[in-house]
Every structure is written in structure tokens, then in C-alpha cells.
Amino acid sequence: MTDAPPQLGEISNSSEFKIPTLQSTNMNGNTSVQGSGSVQDFKDSVYNSRYPKSSCDLDQNSLTYIIDAQSAADTVQNHPATQSMKDTIVSSFEPGNPVCSPSAGPVADKVKDQHAKTTSEFRNLADSRATPEKSTATGQPLTHYHSFFYNLLSWENPRATTLAFLSVVLFIFAARYLPALRWAFKVLYITLGVTAAAEIAGKLVLARGLASSFRPKKYYTIPREALESSLEDVEQLINFFVIEFQRVLFAEKVTHTVVGFVAALLSYWLIKFVPLWGLSLISVSCVFLGPLIYKNNKEFIDEHLQNASDVINTQANQVKDLAGHHTARASETVKSYAGDYSAKAQEYIGSARGRQTSPTSSKSTSNAPMKSEPGSGPDYSPSDFPHAPKQEPTAGVTSHQEQYENSRFGGQAVPAS
């Protein structure tokens, strides 16, 4: 006996159900086709092909077990639950079924949800362009770009802010590594070259230009309303930067002025060895990521800032008290030295005046008449009084010395020699 595997044979024309039969090899090696006109005959042929009667004798219980197993398989296959599951699986792979469409499933729902949220955040960001109620220290109103940039950099709309940050970063890298200007000129000369060639070829071949045939009836122009609106936005944007620079420059908020000082100082040192695009990338990262870091660690940062502020205020008060104490001592010392020097100066001035007035006072004292006391009189001699002139003043003599000499010689002038 050869236990060869069963092989699929040809379809029997006499089979009522048009199903293939199994052919097996018997003990003599001849191949025979077993066919039947009923299900029972088919089952018997399958059984006989696998287990020939000549090899072993099968009892009725074994045959009944095989038939019951086949009946159970048919029952499970024909069960309504099985048929419903089969229909569901088959229908799920049909092209028109929405279950197998790209828009179905948890991933697609997540993508649609994120797209809707992103669109809503961009709409909120655009609607935030309103003039704020706050004004500057000088009373001037702020621009609507103050509200816009505050909303953008405060991460109130995280998806919109993230996309804006990535767009700026990609623009910096594109400007650094992509020859965008060369590409623009290349597209321009290719476009103009193709247009000129088509126009010339059309006039030579078809007697009319090809490019001119696509010319519109009316050239496109920018509407005045759109142009005025764009110019107004540009004006508001420029005024935003101008106002903010002046607010930082004139210390409207000291914190902003200090931050600007630190940024300018770091930029001054970094520009020596960092290229311009790298410095721009660092600046953009600080501007966008700084508020995000502060927002996520607000309590921690505020606590340390408050501690630093308390320490600075304490040190400032100590320095102020110490400076006041030293100032008071210095003032007292200066006052004492000033008093001493003033007294000495007055003493020196008084002594100098005394020395200057002593000869005059002695002379005046000797020449002054003595007051007579009652009952006593002073003793005077003729020499105490000057000589009285005896003649009229001589004409031509102007000095007192000459007059005195004339009076000494008895009213006669000195004879000329």
C-alpha cells in the first residue's frame, strides 16, 4: 500500500453539484476517479480514498463520527452569525464603503480634529488685531499690532504660534542655504524667453503670435481699497516698532530696558564670531521660546525673582543707610573744619587791620587836642602849631613844597643861581 497524498482531479460531468472529486492511488497503483451524484456518495469517496477498505476494516462508529464532524462544520458555516460576520468583512473592503475610505478611522479623526483646532486658532489670532485700551506713558494710543504680537508670543494659540515659529526658522535657513534670488531670475528669464520664442514662432508660422493670443482683455490692477488697506497695515507695523523702541529707550518699564540692554550687549559680543543668520536664529528662538519657558515655569521663576528682588532691596537699603551715616559724619567734619578756618581767618584779618591802622592812630592821637578836664588845662608851646603864611601865594608855584619854601624865606622865593 502506498500512502500518497490525495490530488485534485478533473470535474466530473456526471456530478450534480459540479464539484471536483478526489483521485487516489490504490494498491495496484491505478488511478481511479471517484464520483457520485449525492453528498453522501462524495463523503464515501473521500473516506475511501484516504482510508481504503482493503487496508483496514472501519466500523460504523468511526464513519458516524466523520459524518457528524462534517455536519457540525456545515452548521457553523451556515449559522446566521457566521454569515453576518462574513458579509461585514466582505462589505468593508468594497470601494464605495465609507469604512475603508481614507477619512475614516481614529487616525483620520485625529487629523481632522487637529486641522479644525489649528484653523480656529489662526482665526482667533487674526481677530486679535484690535487697538488695545491701554496707552503709552505719554497718553498716545497703541497700535493693533500690540495686541496681535502679544497674542502670538504669549502662546495663547499654541498651534498657530508653533507654525509661525517654524515658518520663520525655515525662512532663515532658506535665505541662508537656498539661492532664492538666483532662482527668481532664472524663472524670470525662462518665462520671458519662452514667451518671446512662442510669439516669434507663431508670427512666422501661423501669421499671428501665440503669446498675444492669451493676452487678457484687461490687465489686472490692484484695487485702491486693497492698496490703502495694505498701506495702513504697513503704517501700523512701522509705528509699532517705533513706539516700542521709544518706550524701551525712555524706560517706561525698567524691566524691558534692562532686557534690551542685555540683548544689545550679547549681540555686540556675539556678532564678532556668529554670522548674521545665526544671530537672527538665536534672536527668534529667544523671542518665541522665552515666553513659553516662563509660562510653563511661572511659579518657579516668579519665586526666584521675588527672592532676588528682596535681596536687592535689602542690600540697597543697607547701602543707603551706610551712605547716609557717612554723609552725616562728613558733613559734621566739614562744618567743624569750616568753623575753625573761619575763626582763624577772622583772627588773621583782625590782626592785619590792627597793624595797618596803628601808625595813623598813634599820629592822630598825638595831634589830637586833649580834652580839658574841669579845673585843668593842657600845656601848649608855639612850636606845636604850624607857621602861618605871610604873603599871598606866588604865581606859577603850584606845589605845596614850593609854597612851603617860600614861606620859610620870609615870603621871598629862592633866588635863582
Side-chain angles (χ1 to χ4, degrees):
M1 167 183 132
T2 59
D3 192 5
Q7 299 178 0
L8 185 63
E10 298 179 355
I11 298 177
S12 176
N13 294 329
S14 62
S15 175
E16 182 180 358
F17 297 95
K18 303 296 182 180
I19 59 176
T21 60
L22 296 177
Q23 60 182 0
S24 61
T25 305
N26 55 17
M27 295 178 61
N28 298 327
N30 297 325
T31 302
S32 62
V33 178
Q34 304 290 337
S36 64
S38 62
V39 176
Q40 185 63 34
D41 295 339
F42 173 70
K43 292 178 180 179
D44 294 341
S45 63
V46 172
Y47 180 78
N48 293 331
S49 63
R50 188 72 180 91
Y51 304 100
K53 291 182 179 181
S54 59
S55 61
C56 59
D57 295 331
L58 298 176
D59 55 358
Q60 187 67 25
N61 294 330
S62 299
L63 183 60
T64 304
Y65 175 77
I66 295 174
I67 295 175
D68 291 340
Q70 183 66 32
S71 177
D74 294 340
T75 303
V76 172
Q77 184 178 2
N78 296 327
H79 195 273
T82 306
Q83 295 295 330
S84 176
M85 185 180 297
K86 180 180 178 182
D87 295 339
T88 302
I89 294 174
V90 172
S91 61
S92 64
F93 288 97
E94 293 180 357
N97 194 351
V99 177
C100 64
S101 62
S103 61
V107 177
D109 293 339
K110 187 71 174 179
V111 171
K112 291 175 62 177
D113 182 56
Q114 294 297 327
H115 179 268
K117 290 181 179 180
T118 304
T119 305
S120 176
E121 289 186 4
F122 272 107
R123 188 179 300 111
N124 294 336
L125 187 63
D127 294 339
S128 65
R129 294 174 55 184
T131 303
E133 297 179 357
K134 297 173 59 177
S135 59
T136 62
T138 58
Q140 294 174 285
L142 302 176
T143 64
H144 60 259
Y145 276 102
H146 284 82
S147 302
F148 175 79
F149 282 112
Y150 177 81
N151 196 310
L152 178 65
L153 300 177
S154 62
W155 292 82
E156 295 181 359
N157 301 299
R159 295 172 182 82
T161 304
T162 302
L163 291 178
F165 173 60
L166 294 178
S167 300
V168 175
V169 171
L170 290 177
F171 175 78
I172 293 174
F173 278 106
R176 170 63 180 85
Y177 291 104
L178 298 180
L181 189 60
R182 288 189 60 210
W183 288 356
F185 283 117
K186 183 177 181 179
V187 171
L188 182 61
Y189 84 74
I190 290 176
T191 303
L192 296 179
V194 170
T195 302
E199 182 70 15
I200 294 173
K203 288 185 176 180
L204 293 177
V205 177
L206 303 176
R208 72 189 195 95
L210 295 177
S212 59
S213 62
F214 294 98
R215 184 186 304 135
K217 296 181 179 179
K218 185 178 180 181
Y219 290 117
Y220 175 77
T221 57
I222 300 176
R224 182 178 180 180
E225 294 79 8
L227 188 60
E228 291 179 351
S229 177
S230 301
L231 292 177
E232 183 179 359
D233 285 341
V234 172
E235 176 191 2
Q236 293 289 322
L237 182 62
I238 295 175
N239 286 332
F240 163 76
F241 288 106
V242 172
I243 291 175
E244 285 303 307
F245 176 75
Q246 293 179 89
R247 294 176 71 185
V248 172
L249 179 62
F250 296 107
E252 184 171 326
K253 291 185 177 181
V254 182
T255 306
H256 295 175
T257 304
V258 173
V259 172
F261 160 73
V262 173
L265 181 62
L266 293 177
S267 300
Y268 170 75
W269 290 106
L270 289 176
I271 199 64
K272 294 182 179 180
F273 52 88
V274 177
L276 183 59
W277 70 271
L279 190 62
S280 302
L281 184 62
I282 294 174
S283 302
V284 170
S285 300
C286 293
V287 169
F288 277 91
L289 299 181
L292 179 61
I293 295 174
Y294 175 75
K295 183 178 180 180
N296 294 333
N297 305 277
K298 188 175 187 303
E299 297 180 357
F300 178 78
I301 295 175
D302 288 344
E303 181 180 357
H304 283 73
L305 288 178
Q306 185 64 36
N307 294 335
S309 178
D310 295 341
V311 171
I312 292 173
N313 291 333
T314 304
Q315 295 295 328
N317 292 331
Q318 292 180 358
V319 171
K320 183 179 179 181
D321 296 340
L322 186 62
H325 176 69
H326 286 290
T327 302
R329 291 187 59 183
S331 178
E332 293 176 358
T333 304
V334 170
K335 286 182 179 179
S336 63
Y337 282 124
D340 295 342
Y341 286 126
S342 177
K344 290 182 179 180
Q346 290 178 358
E347 181 180 355
Y348 290 149
I349 292 173
S351 62
R353 286 180 178 177
R355 286 194 299 270
Q356 291 177 359
T357 57
S358 58
T360 307
S361 60
S362 60
K363 183 177 180 180
S364 61
T365 303
S366 61
N367 296 329
M370 299 296 294
K371 291 183 179 180
S372 60
E373 295 292 335
S376 64
D379 296 333
Y380 294 107
S381 62
S383 62
D384 293 333
F385 299 97
H387 296 282
K390 296 180 180 181
Q391 61 182 5
E392 292 296 329
T394 306
V397 179
T398 58
S399 64
H400 296 284
Q401 182 67 23
E402 292 178 352
Q403 294 290 342
Y404 177 71
E405 291 179 353
N406 292 337
S407 66
R408 285 178 59 189
F409 292 98
Q412 298 295 327
V414 179
S417 55

